Amino acid sequence: MKVDVAKKNPSLESLFNDPTQVITLDANFLIPPDRPNLSSRGIPFSKFQAFWLDPIFVTFPNLAIHEAVRDELVSRDIKTFIQDKEGATPPQIIIHKDSELTRVEMMLRESIEDKIYPLTQYDPQVNNRDDRGEVKTLAYIAVKGLLYFAAHDSNALLLVEMAESWSTGLDTVQAIKMYEIIFCLCVKTPSLRQSLRMLYKYQYYLTKNEKLTNPEWGIFIESIESLYQSNL
């Protein structure tokens, strides 16, 4: 994925000003990244939780996932993590449930899903797992008028960013990328910077092409700080 440090993301700017807004997460925000074909070293869940999951849930108190994402989580570690968040008093995560939609909202959700799924690997007739969570999530938040969708998957982000030209029905949804939240956490919790540097390099600066396309860590931080200086 290309890291864009040339222009501001109004969504991130808004979250700097009000981090209590609802942010709906794609599954890849919750699962430790693994690129086995490129690196023999993955990120253990315990470390991922310490420098990523726990900090984002503290920094942004109204994080959400769709029930389709929750139900498809495979790892025991992340399933337990989400169950604990959901079972806390009060709950520490919002679960979007289609059963809570009104009849009119359900019809609209199905209409948007029909526009989205042909651009993905999901087939509602088969109800396969490929891209199901993304499709269900995006259709739900579009219907509910929720603004922010945070993801690392480039295909899911394109459904939002190309909403007008692709007619996906997601015109009101705004995308937030993982590297933008990495930067936000660096600002909010400087003690995490070294670990977040490792995460950035693992996600965006590992292959030869990524090193040609994306800025190295120091330039990334310097460039993005200059963009959001007024918000820091």
Side-chain angles (χ1 to χ4, degrees):
M1 177 186 292
K2 179 174 172 50
V3 174
D4 184 358
V5 293
K7 62 179 183 296
K8 278 186 177 183
N9 181 348
S11 301
L12 184 61
E13 192 170 29
S14 177
L15 289 172
F16 266 119
N17 296 327
D18 181 9
T20 66
Q21 298 175 83
V22 175
I23 308 171
T24 302
L25 307 178
D26 195 10
N28 48 52
F29 249 61
L30 301 169
I31 301 170
D34 188 16
R35 306 178 75 179
N37 296 331
L38 300 172
S39 174
S40 60
R41 299 178 63 185
I43 301 176
F45 181 83
S46 59
K47 290 186 176 180
F48 188 68
Q49 179 179 346
F51 70 73
W52 178 253
L53 290 176
D54 287 342
I56 62 173
F57 274 85
V58 170
T59 304
F60 305 104
N62 288 309
L63 296 180
I65 58 172
H66 190 275
E67 59 185 343
V69 169
R70 179 199 60 189
D71 295 344
E72 291 174 7
L73 296 172
V74 175
S75 162
R76 172 185 284 184
D77 289 329
I78 188 57
K79 286 176 73 73
T80 300
F81 179 85
I82 295 300
Q83 287 170 356
D84 289 346
K85 292 292 182 186
E86 189 176 359
T89 305
Q92 297 172 357
I93 189 170
I94 300 166
I95 306 297
H96 298 321
K97 299 178 180 179
D98 287 343
S99 61
E100 296 174 350
L101 296 173
T102 66
R103 185 173 64 85
V104 172
E105 288 174 333
M106 183 64 76
M107 292 172 61
L108 181 56
R109 188 203 67 79
E110 291 172 355
S111 173
I112 294 175
E113 184 175 301
D114 286 343
K115 296 177 182 179
I116 299 173
Y117 87 80
L119 301 170
T120 72
Q121 298 183 59
Y122 177 61
D123 182 347
Q125 300 301 317
V126 179
N127 198 29
N128 57 303
R129 294 183 60 174
D130 297 334
D131 295 337
R132 176 170 56 191
E134 296 166 359
V135 171
K136 299 291 185 184
T137 297
L138 287 167
Y140 182 97
I141 63 177
V143 167
K144 283 296 191 180
L146 297 169
L147 293 179
Y148 304 121
F149 174 65
H152 178 65
D153 183 87
S154 56
N155 292 329
L157 291 167
L158 279 174
L159 293 172
V160 175
E161 295 172 339
M162 302 298 290
E164 184 175 353
S165 57
W166 289 1
S167 300
T168 61
L170 302 175
D171 304 68
T172 61
V173 179
Q174 301 176 31
I176 300 170
K177 302 175 178 67
M178 179 175 274
Y179 66 80
E180 294 172 328
I181 300 300
I182 288 175
F183 169 68
C184 187
L185 291 185
C186 281
V187 172
K188 301 288 187 181
T189 315
S191 62
L192 296 173
R193 183 167 291 215
Q194 192 62 27
S195 295
L196 294 169
R197 173 179 178 270
M198 179 272 292
L199 178 61
Y200 173 87
K201 292 179 69 174
Y202 195 85
Q203 292 285 63
Y204 301 104
Y205 205 72
L206 197 56
T207 69
K208 181 179 180 180
N209 183 61
E210 286 170 347
K211 291 178 179 179
L212 290 172
T213 303
N214 295 333
E216 57 89 16
W217 173 256
I219 295 175
F220 164 71
I221 290 295
E222 181 180 335
S223 301
I224 204 165
E225 277 181 346
S226 67
L227 283 179
Y228 296 95
Q229 190 61 47
S230 63
N231 304 105
L232 305 183

